[in-house]
Amino acid sequence: GQNIDQPTEMTATEGAIVQINCTYQTSGFNGLFWYQQHAGEAPTFLSYNVLDGLEEKGRFSSFLSRSKGYSYLLLKELQMKDSASYLCAVPFSGGYNKLIFGAGTRLAVHP
Amino acid sequence: EAGVTQFPSHSVIEKGQTVTLRCDPISGHDNLYWYRRVMGKEIKFLLHFVKESKQDESGMPNNRFLAERTGGTYSTLKVQPAELEDSGVYFCASSQQTGDNYGYTFGSGTRLTVV
């Protein structure tokens, strides 16, 4: 089967750096997505990793290690607006037609 | 471009009643997906349309749920009769191509409460 684990909650201070981890088990790998979801809003795409390594996109970076079944999302220079849930997701083995989501990590950024 | 639109944003119904949720995908997106998040759990796949055809409905919980996408444009998800455990947030998403590496575009969801 497929399974995704991520911490339930994290807190951080404005201006700091936070790393949100995600571990996954899947029989076939077709990449890993990170989404951001503010309360009551749509999940929005942040990143997609299919190869090992770090991909940087402004204040947000995403890392993948396929051999370890591990990814993290790194948020730098935290802002209050970064308070949201961060969802890790992998395509169901066999295709992209459906995503398997983790339960999400709720990040609270404090002044 | 307009995003994925879902209606209504909230719905409160009594157990045993019928509710119909609507999703308007981004224009030109052939792929339309329904997902659901029940309280405290992860977002789970319900089904996938390619145009008007059901490509995968393996996540539909039971036969009280009926999804349609007539004409390959908007989609409806009907729950009849609703049960308490159907409460949750129902998300719709669309993508232009199957296997789109930029992921889906999600709607804001319909929060369904069955009392």
Side-chain angles (χ1 to χ4, degrees):
Chain A
Q2 294 182 269
N3 191 47
I4 297 178
D5 289 307
Q6 47 182 135
T8 306
E9 291 186 357
M10 297 183 74
T11 60
T13 305
E14 197 174 12
I17 299 173
V18 72
Q19 178 175 311
I20 302 174
N21 296 325
C22 170
T23 57
Y24 63 89
Q25 297 86 41
T26 180
S27 53
F29 185 72
N30 288 314
L32 185 143
F33 292 91
W34 282 97
Y35 283 84
Q36 179 192 58
Q37 185 183 19
H38 286 98
E41 297 182 11
T44 55
F45 171 82
L46 287 178
S47 66
Y48 172 70
N49 294 67
V50 67
L51 299 176
D52 290 349
L54 185 70
E55 293 203 9
E56 299 186 63
K57 231 190 259 186
R59 294 190 300 113
F60 292 10
S61 302
S62 55
F63 172 84
L64 176 68
S65 169
R66 289 173 295 172
S67 62
K68 295 181 180 175
Y70 167 68
S71 172
Y72 66 74
L73 184 68
L74 193 70
L75 291 73
K76 301 176 188 174
E77 301 169 19
L78 280 172
Q79 301 175 10
M80 299 296 288
K81 68 178 182 180
D82 298 328
S83 294
S85 285
Y86 292 85
L87 310 173
C88 177
V90 295
F92 183 75
S93 56
Y96 297 91
N97 293 343
K98 58 186 176 186
L99 292 180
I100 310 298
F101 281 88
T105 298
R106 195 161 53 247
L107 174 66
V109 180
H110 299 291
Chain B
E1 63 179 3
V4 176
T5 305
Q6 293 188 244
F7 182 84
S9 56
H10 292 80
S11 180
V12 180
I13 61 171
E14 292 184 352
K15 176 182 169 181
Q17 289 186 322
T18 298
V19 63
T20 300
L21 314 181
R22 172 169 169 146
C23 169
D24 287 75
I26 292 173
S27 178
H29 280 194
D30 288 341
N31 293 276
L32 186 149
Y33 309 83
W34 284 98
Y35 282 79
R36 175 174 77 167
R37 185 171 198 166
V38 296
M39 181 96 80
K41 300 287 186 89
E42 69 274 20
I43 297 174
K44 282 194 172 176
F45 170 85
L46 295 178
L47 89 160
H48 169 213
F49 283 99
V50 177
K51 297 185 180 177
E52 67 275 10
S53 300
K54 290 176 187 173
Q55 186 78 11
D56 180 353
E57 50 184 332
S58 60
M60 294 288 264
N62 50 61
N63 60 9
R64 295 185 293 102
F65 289 75
L66 175 65
E68 294 181 323
R69 193 183 182 195
T70 308
T73 54
Y74 71 90
S75 174
T76 57
L77 179 65
K78 182 161 70 174
V79 185
Q80 178 183 31
E83 297 290 343
L84 297 179
E85 65 264 24
D86 301 332
S87 296
V89 182
Y90 290 76
F91 291 101
C92 176
S94 72
S95 68
Q96 192 161 27
Q97 300 171 24
T98 304
D100 190 335
N101 290 349
Y102 292 94
Y104 312 152
T105 300
F106 279 90
S108 298
T110 294
R111 181 173 296 277
L112 175 65
T113 304
V114 183
V115 298

